[in-house]
Amino acid sequence: MLNEVKVSFNRKDLLGLENLEPTEIETILDLAESFKEINLRPIKKVPTLRGKTIINLFYEPSTRTKMSFDIAAKRLSADTFSISKATSSMVKGETLLDTVRNLDAMNPDAIVIRHSAAGAPHWLASRLDISIINAGDGMHEHPTQALLDMLTMRQHKGKLEGLTVAIIGDISHSRVARSNIWGLSKMKAKVIVCGPPTMIPKDINKMPTEVTYNVDEVIEEADVIMILRIQQERQKEVLLPSLREYSKLYGINSDRLKKAKSDVLIMHPGPINRGVEISAEVADGPYSVILEQVSNGVAIRMAILYLTVGTTARQEP
Ligand code: CP
C-alpha cells in the first residue's frame, strides 16, 4: 500500500528522466505499483487529490497520454480541464507564456503540457510556481512514457538491472527513445538503439546507449524489443527510400522474431503503423505487452500527480 512506499521525490515538476536520481525513478515505479490496484476496483476513485485542479494543455495530438492523465487525475478525485491548440486563443496568436500565465491566474495546481518545442516545459517550470509535468516536448523527452515502459518491463522481468533493451526505429525523432535511454541506463539496464543510419542521431555517442544497424543481431540479444513509430510528421527531409523498404529492412514481423528469446517482450509506445515498423501478427501476438503499457500509463500518471501536487493532500487511499 501507499504508506509502505519509501518516498524519495521532492520536486514540484516532472520535466524529464535525464536529471532524475535512480531512487526517484524507483519511488515513482513503486507508487505506481500501489496505485494499480485502484484501477481494478469496481469504484475507481480515492480522495487523495480532492480539491486539486489539473489542466491538460496539449499543443500536439494525443490519445494515450492525454486521456490517461485525465483518468489518473479523476481517479484521485482532482478536477481536470483540457485545452487544445485548435479550440483555444492560441489560434489567434497568443504566446505560450501568455496562455500559461492566464491559466495560472485561475489557480490550478498543475499544468500537464505537450509541446512541439524541446524545453518548453522546462522554460515554463522556471517561471511559474505551480507544477509543470512534461507530456512530451518536441524530440527531447517523454518521461511518463518511459516510466510506464519501465514499470511494464519490471512487472514481467522482476527487475530492470541487467536487462538488454533494444530500441528499434526512428531514434532521431523519438522523445520516447531519449527518455528510455536515460531512465533505463540509470536503472542499470543495457540499451541498444537500432535503425537506419539516417535515423540515428549524430550525437548518440553522448548518450548512455550502444548503437547497431543490424536488426537481426539485436533481436537475438534483447530481453525487450521496443519498436518505434516512423514519425513522418517530424521528418523535414527524406530519410527513407520508402516505407516498404523500411518495413523490409527494419520492420518487426513473425519471421524476424523466430530468432528472439522465448520470453522476449514486444513493446511499442503507440500509435502503431501496422505493416510498417510492426506487423499486425506481432502487435497482437503472444509476446506483445502493448496494451499493458497503456494500462500502466494510468498508474504511472497517478503516481506523478500524487508526488508533484499531492504533497499537502497525502493520505492513504
Ligand atoms: N505514446 C503516446 O505518447 O501516445 P499519444 O501520442 O497518443 O499520447
Side-chain angles (χ1 to χ4, degrees):
M1 288 304 287
L2 205 52
N3 58 6
E4 286 163 12
V5 175
K6 190 166 169 284
V7 173
S8 168
F9 192 97
N10 192 20
R11 298 173 185 264
K12 86 174 174 69
D13 310 300
L14 178 76
L15 302 176
L17 297 193
E18 183 176 356
N19 297 318
L20 287 197
E21 297 297 328
T23 50
E24 293 177 301
I25 294 175
E26 208 157 280
T27 292
I28 297 165
L29 299 183
D30 290 348
L31 265 179
E33 199 78 63
S34 73
F35 277 127
K36 273 185 71 149
E37 175 268 329
I38 295 166
N39 295 317
L40 303 174
R41 291 181 191 174
I43 309 291
K44 301 171 187 62
K45 210 171 183 78
V46 293
T48 312
L49 294 186
R50 191 168 49 205
K52 300 286 180 182
T53 304
I54 317 287
I55 295 178
N56 288 320
L57 174 60
F58 277 62
Y59 280 77
E60 288 186 336
S62 169
T63 298
R64 282 147 287 268
T65 312
K66 187 167 173 221
M67 191 51 67
S68 62
F69 265 114
D70 201 22
I71 290 174
K74 285 190 164 81
R75 289 191 178 159
L76 294 175
S77 299
D79 296 310
T80 69
F81 303 88
S82 291
I83 177 166
S84 70
K85 192 173 179 183
T87 56
S88 74
S89 288
M90 298 169 215
V91 291
K92 301 176 199 164
E94 190 167 43
T95 65
L96 172 62
L97 187 57
D98 280 336
T99 299
V100 175
R101 273 193 180 139
N102 279 270
L103 296 175
D104 187 36
M106 301 177 208
N107 292 320
D109 297 283
I111 293 181
V112 178
I113 179 167
R114 172 171 285 190
H115 199 280
S116 57
H122 308 64
W123 186 72
L124 292 174
S126 66
R127 283 164 177 76
L128 298 168
D129 292 332
I130 56 166
S131 294
I132 300 292
I133 298 166
N134 184 359
D137 63 322
M139 295 184 270
H140 180 223
E141 281 226 39
H142 192 349
T144 56
Q145 177 67 45
L147 288 163
L148 72 87
D149 293 338
M150 287 192 277
L151 182 63
T152 309
M153 289 177 213
R154 200 178 75 163
Q155 273 164 10
H156 279 269
K157 301 292 185 185
K159 58 181 184 170
L160 296 170
E161 185 173 347
L163 289 182
T164 297
V165 180
I167 307 180
I168 300 173
D170 181 3
I171 310 297
S172 287
H173 293 93
S174 179
R175 53 197 177 203
V176 175
R178 282 176 182 74
S179 283
N180 267 293
I181 291 170
W182 290 120
L184 285 163
S185 62
K186 281 169 196 281
M187 302 312 283
K188 297 192 168 67
K190 176 167 125 182
V191 183
I192 308 174
V193 296
C194 176
T198 49
M199 291 185 166
I200 302 290
K202 288 190 177 60
D203 61 351
I204 193 72
N205 58 352
K206 295 186 183 142
M207 302 192 77
T209 178
E210 294 179 16
V211 183
T212 180
Y213 305 105
N214 189 326
V215 70
D216 293 301
E217 253 175 46
V218 83
I219 282 175
E220 283 185 48
E221 189 183 344
D223 298 298
V224 178
I225 299 174
M226 184 180 295
I227 304 161
L228 300 177
R229 183 172 68 91
I230 298 299
Q231 299 191 37
Q232 294 176 76
E233 75 276 18
R234 290 195 205 279
Q235 294 183 9
K236 294 197 180 77
E237 56 207 300
V238 179
L239 302 177
L240 295 167
S242 70
L243 291 181
R244 185 194 290 257
E245 182 84 350
Y246 179 84
S247 181
K248 196 169 134 214
L249 294 175
Y250 288 93
I252 307 300
N253 52 40
S254 303
D255 208 33
R256 275 219 155 99
L257 275 194
K258 282 181 186 150
K259 288 188 181 158
K261 291 185 178 177
S262 59
D263 59 349
V264 72
L265 296 183
I266 294 292
M267 302 179 72
H268 192 307
I272 62 178
N273 293 311
R274 284 173 187 262
V276 181
E277 72 270 1
I278 186 169
S279 70
E281 256 182 330
V282 172
D284 304 327
Y287 305 114
S288 172
V289 291
I290 294 172
L291 293 178
E292 279 180 53
Q293 291 173 259
V294 178
S295 301
N296 282 334
V298 176
I300 282 291
R301 286 153 185 144
M302 288 168 92
I304 294 301
L305 292 173
Y306 173 79
L307 288 167
T308 50
V309 308
T311 48
T312 56
R314 278 187 191 160
Q315 54 186 269
E316 184 71 7

